[in-house]
Amino acid sequence: MGGRDARVTPNPAEKVRVESRFFPLGPDDPRMVASYPLHARLGAGGMGNVYLAFTPGGRAIAIKVVRPEFAADEEFRRRFRQEIAAAQRVQGLYTATVVDADADAPTPWMATAYVAGPSLQQAVAGQGPFAASMVFRLTGAVAEALSTIHAARLIHRDLKPSNVLLAADGPRVIDFGIAWAADVTAVTRPGVRVGTPAFMSPEQVRGRPATPATDVFALGQLAVYAATGRPAFGEGLEAALLYRILNESPDLDGCPPALRDLAARCLAKDAEARPDLAEIIEVARAESGDPTPDLAGSWLPDALAATLPAYDPVRPPEERPATPEPGTAGARPAPAASPQPPTIAPHASPPAASPASPPVTPHASPATLPVAGPPPRRGVPTGAVVGIAAASVIGTAVVVGALTSGPGGHGPGPTSSSAPTSGAAVAGSGGSPATAPTPAPTATYLQEFTGVRFTLPGGGCFTNGFDFDEQGPTVNTDVSGAAGMPLEYIGCGFGSPSIQVHAGEVAMVTGDLDGAACETAVTRQPAGGGPSFSELRRGAEMCYMNDDRVVFMKLVARSPSSYALTWTATSWSRPKSG
């Protein structure tokens, strides 16, 4: 991320608050989860603790680890397995992307993209209520996130201020710990309440099944909280709070006049009377003061935006030990006299409790978090994915985008590549290109096509799926067809559209790379969920890799009005092992 060296320092009170995002690991915290070294603790919830880690390419991730006392509970493990499956089915601009997971490990865990920003709860507590325009932008973006969740046949059920994180490019809805598939009829145990009392809907209070309208009620609560700094039905004793939710009108004093009507309709006792998400998105867009709002870099108040750099967990230069450290996967067993902190290994018995506590890491700022060597590279899980909710999509086009040859056409025939192009560079995490290392010239990459031009047309609410085969790119603008493709370019009104990666990996690069250099770039510097429109400038270069091929892409045109992106692509087949 550019500008990391020019951090904005908030006032001392704000600095204490935002730096509490990172807590040092304690003696009972693991130091490894599978192949990921842990660097700090981010928080704790009903299911377990959340830790900060990094992918091999340096992208920050949040790893949720189930509490050991629950890991042996089959019902709890089943619920966590559902959580992983649910999160993998939700692929949207305003939800945290799943990076890796293991529901069958002795201590189950799930890793999602780290969101560099405070929760709505923290922001309102520290900065006060938001202005009306920001409340509408927040409401529209969260409504879009819920549309994506509902399109995956899920209901969040626990939408609240602490489950909405505020990043520079828009909010992210997180925590699907109690988001069950809508077609599951009996998941919750008798006597177990699903939801947070202050933000529960009347049907949840009565113990009735949740529907998408349940999340609309919570969204109304969220909007009132952002505008006033308090829940719409107040606080206090749980019994009194639940009574007010069932029997009294919401307290909308202090809400901007334009928000009152929308909030009152969202908070209707009758679920059928609540507006649908598509209508909420349209109202929010109209009331935000900008018909085509671009949240990136502009949507947060200056005082709140100034705190964001302290949430950026910059990893120091890697320190690779000559031999494996004790307590990590693949290391020699440590002597009995020197017990190590626990390690959560995949599909292995949980480690015995350490008889002696290791020293607690001193509290570190995000810029100086302790670092271990990078873990072995892991693939991003693949699976069924869905696009924007049908309610948010109007007039989608049909099937394949037109392809035209670039200056080189399809080329004269297969050519080979066994080393990266001289001077090629991989875009580093700080925005400055880092020279791509040269792999051993032993593998042969056969060129499939070169300079083929294709366009992702964008639009209003859109889902553009795309893929590559040996003939060239394929583009699908139909929502149902695009949902099954490994790459999607999606957007809907609020925020900056982005490329979502469901199979394979991408990396932003600099220089005309060949097949070998592209593979090296993706291996060393994966871009995780893919870049957003606001991050892509004309001339931007990106490598994509899957099991069969590597593709070098260059952006030759972009349209700020329609969000259309036009690329040229060159592809090589990957060498087959054996």
Side-chain angles (χ1 to χ4, degrees), residues 286-445:
E287 295 291 345
S288 66
D290 185 350
T292 57
D294 184 357
L295 302 192
S298 64
W299 83 290
L300 294 174
D302 291 343
L304 183 56
T307 69
L308 295 186
Y311 286 85
D312 183 11
V314 181
R315 187 168 71 165
E318 294 172 350
E319 299 173 3
R320 302 172 185 265
T323 58
E325 293 289 342
T328 62
R332 298 187 185 93
S338 302
Q340 299 298 319
T343 296
I344 298 176
H347 309 297
S349 298
S354 174
S357 298
V360 178
T361 305
H363 183 77
S365 70
T368 57
L369 291 171
V371 171
R377 185 165 173 264
R378 298 176 63 92
V380 178
T382 61
V385 295
V386 294
I388 298 294
S392 301
V393 181
I394 302 175
T396 55
V398 182
V399 200
V400 185
L403 308 177
T404 49
S405 297
H410 281 275
T415 61
S416 65
S417 165
S418 60
T421 302
S422 176
V426 183
S429 60
S432 301
T435 301
T438 302
T442 57
T444 299
Y445 295 76

Side-chain angles (χ1 to χ4, degrees), residues 164-473:
V164 177
L165 303 183
L166 309 180
D169 59 348
R172 299 290 189 278
V173 175
I174 64 167
D175 195 354
F176 297 95
I178 54 174
W180 304 114
D183 57 358
V184 175
T185 57
V187 176
T188 308
R189 285 179 170 181
V192 176
R193 176 179 291 126
V194 176
T196 301
F199 293 88
M200 291 175 68
S201 67
E203 57 267 28
Q204 285 177 298
V205 174
R206 292 189 172 98
R208 295 174 182 170
T211 69
T214 301
D215 287 343
V216 171
F217 189 92
L219 179 58
Q221 285 264 42
L222 203 75
V224 172
Y225 180 87
T228 66
R230 51 174 173 71
F233 294 93
E235 299 173 302
L237 294 176
E238 181 176 322
L241 178 60
L242 299 182
Y243 176 86
R244 291 194 293 271
I245 290 173
L246 289 175
N247 300 290
E248 296 184 3
S249 299
D251 181 2
L252 302 181
D253 289 346
C255 283
L259 182 63
R260 283 174 175 258
D261 178 64
L262 180 63
R265 293 175 60 208
C266 290
L267 295 171
K269 309 296 185 188
D270 181 3
E272 295 296 326
R274 298 168 199 159
D276 62 27
L277 291 170
E279 180 183 352
I280 294 172
I281 291 172
E282 289 303 318
V283 171
R285 182 187 291 116
E287 295 291 345
S288 66
D290 185 350
T292 57
D294 184 357
L295 302 192
S298 64
W299 83 290
L300 294 174
D302 291 343
L304 183 56
T307 69
L308 295 186
Y311 286 85
D312 183 11
V314 181
R315 187 168 71 165
E318 294 172 350
E319 299 173 3
R320 302 172 185 265
T323 58
E325 293 289 342
T328 62
R332 298 187 185 93
S338 302
Q340 299 298 319
T343 296
I344 298 176
H347 309 297
S349 298
S354 174
S357 298
V360 178
T361 305
H363 183 77
S365 70
T368 57
L369 291 171
V371 171
R377 185 165 173 264
R378 298 176 63 92
V380 178
T382 61
V385 295
V386 294
I388 298 294
S392 301
V393 181
I394 302 175
T396 55
V398 182
V399 200
V400 185
L403 308 177
T404 49
S405 297
H410 281 275
T415 61
S416 65
S417 165
S418 60
T421 302
S422 176
V426 183
S429 60
S432 301
T435 301
T438 302
T442 57
T444 299
Y445 295 76
L446 297 179
Q447 192 169 86
E448 298 176 320
F449 57 84
T450 181
V452 177
R453 189 181 182 102
F454 71 99
T455 296
L456 303 174
C461 282
F462 64 89
T463 300
N464 301 164
F466 62 109
D467 194 8
F468 304 90
D469 59 21
E470 66 276 5
Q471 299 298 318

Side-chain angles (χ1 to χ4, degrees), residues 16-181:
V16 169
R17 182 169 60 254
V18 298
E19 286 188 351
S20 67
R21 174 71 168 161
F22 306 95
F23 298 93
L25 298 176
D28 296 327
D29 290 317
R31 266 46 179 181
M32 294 279 292
V33 171
S35 59
Y36 297 104
L38 303 183
H39 298 269
R41 183 165 52 84
L42 298 176
M47 292 183 69
N49 293 329
V50 183
Y51 297 96
L52 174 69
F54 294 88
T55 67
R59 296 292 291 263
I61 57 176
I63 299 183
K64 176 184 286 187
V65 178
V66 167
R67 296 184 186 279
E69 60 267 30
F70 297 136
D73 185 331
E74 285 305 316
E75 172 65 11
F76 191 86
R77 183 179 288 272
R78 183 177 72 85
R79 291 177 63 181
F80 190 73
R81 189 177 291 111
Q82 288 187 346
E83 175 184 6
I84 292 173
Q88 288 174 330
R89 289 161 54 189
V90 175
Q91 301 287 335
L93 295 174
Y94 301 119
T95 55
T97 304
V98 175
V99 176
D100 206 347
D102 190 349
D104 299 312
T107 304
W109 56 274
M110 180 177 70
T112 60
Y114 171 80
V115 180
S119 68
L120 176 60
Q121 183 180 41
Q122 291 171 316
V124 170
Q127 304 286 342
F130 294 165
S133 61
M134 183 180 171
V135 174
F136 279 112
R137 289 190 175 196
L138 174 73
T139 302
V142 174
E144 184 177 331
L146 291 175
S147 294
T148 308
I149 292 169
H150 294 172
R153 301 190 68 202
L154 303 173
I155 302 169
H156 193 294
R157 301 176 187 238
D158 196 24
L159 184 67
K160 57 187 177 182
S162 62
N163 281 342
V164 177
L165 303 183
L166 309 180
D169 59 348
R172 299 290 189 278
V173 175
I174 64 167
D175 195 354
F176 297 95
I178 54 174
W180 304 114

